[in-house]
Amino acid sequence: MPSGKILVAQGGGPTAVINQSLVGVVLESRRFQHVTRVYGALHGVRGIINEEFVDLTQETSHNLELVAATPSSALGSTRDKPDIAYCQKIFEVLRAHEIEHFFYIGGNDSSDTVRIVSEEAHKAGYPLRCIHIPKTIDNDLVGSDHTPGFPSAARFVAQAFAGANLDNAALPGVYVGVVMGRHAGFLTAASALGKKFPDDGPHLIYLPERVFALEQFLADVKATYEKYGRCVIAVSEGIHDASGEPIASLLATQAGNAVERDAHGNVQLSGTGALADLLCDEIKAKLGIKRVRGDTFGYLQRSFIGCVSDVDQREAREVGEKAVQFAMWGERDGSVAIKRTGFYSVDYELLPLTDVAGRTRTMEDEFISASGTDVTDAFRLYLRPLLGSGMPDAFRLRAAKVAKVLKP
């Protein structure tokens, strides 16, 4: 007899809507009579190997709905990147607890974890259904039109740059805003949706899909500053030179600063204002512009509580619900993917785990302008419906100038 036990976990960086997917799994699972327990693993895969489970079957529907509308990972998350030995331990725990359905909400690494656990279950002849539920603000999962979490983070970025542009127009100078995105520039590109008037910023957008040359960057800034008397710049944290070396590490080395690296050996890009500060220093030193300011959005854009796309909320819930339906009614493991239909509507498919696991999507060429410092109308049309309803707008005075008397 099937055990009727389900386990759900959350991995990687939190988002504004990841709890919608969690609650989608829990509530949809309760509709199936043979489901006896829905467990949640605390802090992702680490919670699985440590057997740190909570019984979500006992949560009230009302409280689940309140949690669904709350950003960040309610179960906690982890940055562990499981290898085969780690995944074998995960499978041992799942088998010991007689869990026969495993749902993991996460990005690229999470999909690869699900793939390995699925393969280990097949080798052992254990009836485990493994489903990966998509999540990432980077929008870099292969096979999906977009990924839950990205639209809300993109909404934040668009609104933040709209505000930065207003500030910069009031007190002209150069503003540099650094946005998350090591390999994919979708989130940085979202800054373009904050523009309304032709001379609005961001005037320059730099993405990791294009090689970054410091001298050309300074020339672009100089030309823009001379044209508008100011310049707003959106920069992806992952910009790199022709060899692939992150600009953050190059400039840090030139400045005699130590380069921070994370637990996996990658140059630390998020959570530090180094890149913004270094680029601002270059602009001041090489262009002689006095008013130069920089910000690093860092973790603000991931779980900002007051800026959530209603479209993102709905779809994040639905990928959780569809994951359960695919698991209960299907006969294969996989990764849930969002497919766009019509001008804007979506459908859901279950892709083979091997099509998604460990792969990274980057921005398509059709979304990036020929200059490499802006996005195209195709990208604007792609992103706008994802941002949801009620996007704020900015207006200007229609000021009629009064003729000068003392200085005609």
Side-chain angles (χ1 to χ4, degrees), residues 297-378:
F297 289 19
Y299 296 97
L300 282 174
Q301 59 219 310
R302 283 210 308 218
S303 301
F304 196 79
I305 199 166
C307 187
V308 182
S309 161
D310 54 346
V311 173
D312 199 18
Q313 285 185 315
R314 181 179 69 249
E315 293 176 352
R317 173 68 67 94
E318 290 179 344
V319 293
E321 293 172 346
K322 293 303 295 184
V324 173
Q325 293 171 11
F326 284 133
M328 299 302 176
W329 297 332
E331 296 182 354
R332 64 187 177 94
D333 300 345
S335 176
V336 181
I338 298 176
K339 300 293 184 178
R340 186 178 304 216
T341 61
F343 170 69
Y344 194 73
S345 58
V346 298
D347 198 1
Y348 301 96
E349 295 181 11
L350 190 65
L351 302 180
L353 288 167
T354 52
D355 288 359
V356 181
R359 301 175 64 188
T360 300
R361 174 192 181 187
T362 56
M363 282 184 67
E364 290 79 2
D365 288 341
E366 65 180 291
F367 288 160
I368 305 173
S369 69
S371 68
T373 58
D374 200 357
V375 300
T376 62
D377 286 342

Side-chain angles (χ1 to χ4, degrees), residues 116-195:
I116 299 173
V117 172
S118 171
E119 291 174 353
E120 290 303 310
H122 284 303
K123 289 178 186 176
Y126 184 75
L128 179 67
R129 180 65 66 232
C130 298
I131 304 290
H132 166 245
I133 301 172
K135 173 261 9 159
T136 175
I137 67 168
D138 292 330
N139 201 38
D140 61 353
L141 282 180
V142 172
S144 280
D145 177 80
H146 58 278
T147 309
F150 165 67
S152 292
R155 183 182 173 106
F156 174 90
V157 169
Q159 292 183 199
F161 269 91
N165 172 69
L166 293 170
D167 188 281
N168 183 261
L171 289 170
V174 175
Y175 172 82
V176 179
V178 177
V179 184
M180 275 186 174
R182 183 179 293 272
H183 301 296
F186 286 100
L187 203 53
T188 305
S191 62
L193 274 290
K195 298 181 67 166

Side-chain angles (χ1 to χ4, degrees), residues 3 10 23 48 51 57 69 78 97 99 106 111 123 126-127 162 185 192 218 254 261 264 267 279 305 348 360 373:
S3 70
Q10 298 170 315
V23 172
I48 299 177
E51 295 186 76
T57 324
T78 181
H97 284 265
I99 291 165
S111 64
K123 289 178 186 176
Y126 184 75
L218 293 172
Q254 291 174 14
R261 295 185 181 273
H264 306 291
V267 173
L279 289 174
I305 199 166
Y348 301 96
T360 300
T373 58

Side-chain angles (χ1 to χ4, degrees), residues 222-267:
K222 183 175 185 293
T224 303
Y225 188 80
E226 290 175 349
K227 180 177 181 180
Y228 298 114
R230 64 191 190 94
C231 183
V232 176
I233 309 163
V235 179
S236 172
E237 64 180 8
I239 54 171
H240 57 84
D241 67 7
S243 71
E245 184 72 17
I247 298 300
S249 63
L250 288 175
L251 291 179
T253 301
Q254 291 174 14
N257 300 327
V259 178
E260 293 184 56
R261 295 185 181 273
D262 63 20
H264 306 291
N266 297 316
V267 173

Side-chain angles (χ1 to χ4, degrees), residues 9-274:
Q10 298 170 315
T15 80
V17 297
I18 189 172
N19 290 331
Q20 292 282 358
S21 299
L22 168 67
V23 172
V25 169
V26 177
L27 294 182
E28 187 69 12
S29 297
R30 288 179 176 180
R31 297 178 58 226
F32 291 85
Q33 290 185 344
H34 67 277
V35 173
T36 58
R37 284 288 183 271
V38 181
Y39 295 153
L42 298 178
H43 297 288
V45 288
R46 187 183 305 173
I48 299 177
I49 62 173
N50 291 333
E51 295 186 76
E52 294 178 342
F53 297 163
V54 292
D55 189 350
L56 299 175
T57 324
Q58 299 182 44
E59 282 283 354
T60 65
S61 297
H62 177 69
N63 193 53
L64 285 170
E65 291 294 353
L66 295 177
V67 170
T70 303
S72 191
S73 303
L75 287 173
S77 191
T78 181
R79 280 297 189 188
D80 285 6
K81 297 180 75 170
D83 55 16
I84 292 178
Y86 195 120
C87 289
Q88 288 172 338
K89 292 180 182 178
I90 293 173
F91 172 62
E92 288 175 9
V93 173
L94 297 180
R95 188 171 192 172
H97 284 265
E98 298 182 323
I99 291 165
E100 296 183 353
H101 290 89
F102 173 41
F103 299 95
Y104 199 20
I105 311 167
N108 311 69
D109 293 333
S110 299
S111 64
D112 203 34
T113 298
V114 176
R115 177 189 64 81
I116 299 173
V117 172
S118 171
E119 291 174 353
E120 290 303 310
H122 284 303
K123 289 178 186 176
Y126 184 75
L128 179 67
R129 180 65 66 232
C130 298
I131 304 290
H132 166 245
I133 301 172
K135 173 261 9 159
T136 175
I137 67 168
D138 292 330
N139 201 38
D140 61 353
L141 282 180
V142 172
S144 280
D145 177 80
H146 58 278
T147 309
F150 165 67
S152 292
R155 183 182 173 106
F156 174 90
V157 169
Q159 292 183 199
F161 269 91
N165 172 69
L166 293 170
D167 188 281
N168 183 261
L171 289 170
V174 175
Y175 172 82
V176 179
V178 177
V179 184
M180 275 186 174
R182 183 179 293 272
H183 301 296
F186 286 100
L187 203 53
T188 305
S191 62
L193 274 290
K195 298 181 67 166
K196 179 177 180 180
F197 298 98
D199 59 342
D200 277 344
H203 306 101
L204 299 169
I205 300 173
Y206 294 92
L207 310 169
E209 285 83 358
R210 296 291 182 266
V211 170
F212 182 91
L214 183 59
E215 293 305 316
Q216 184 58 54
F217 166 76
L218 293 172
D220 293 341
V221 174
K222 183 175 185 293
T224 303
Y225 188 80
E226 290 175 349
K227 180 177 181 180
Y228 298 114
R230 64 191 190 94
C231 183
V232 176
I233 309 163
V235 179
S236 172
E237 64 180 8
I239 54 171
H240 57 84
D241 67 7
S243 71
E245 184 72 17
I247 298 300
S249 63
L250 288 175
L251 291 179
T253 301
Q254 291 174 14
N257 300 327
V259 178
E260 293 184 56
R261 295 185 181 273
D262 63 20
H264 306 291
N266 297 316
V267 173
Q268 190 71 43
L269 299 177
S270 304
T272 154

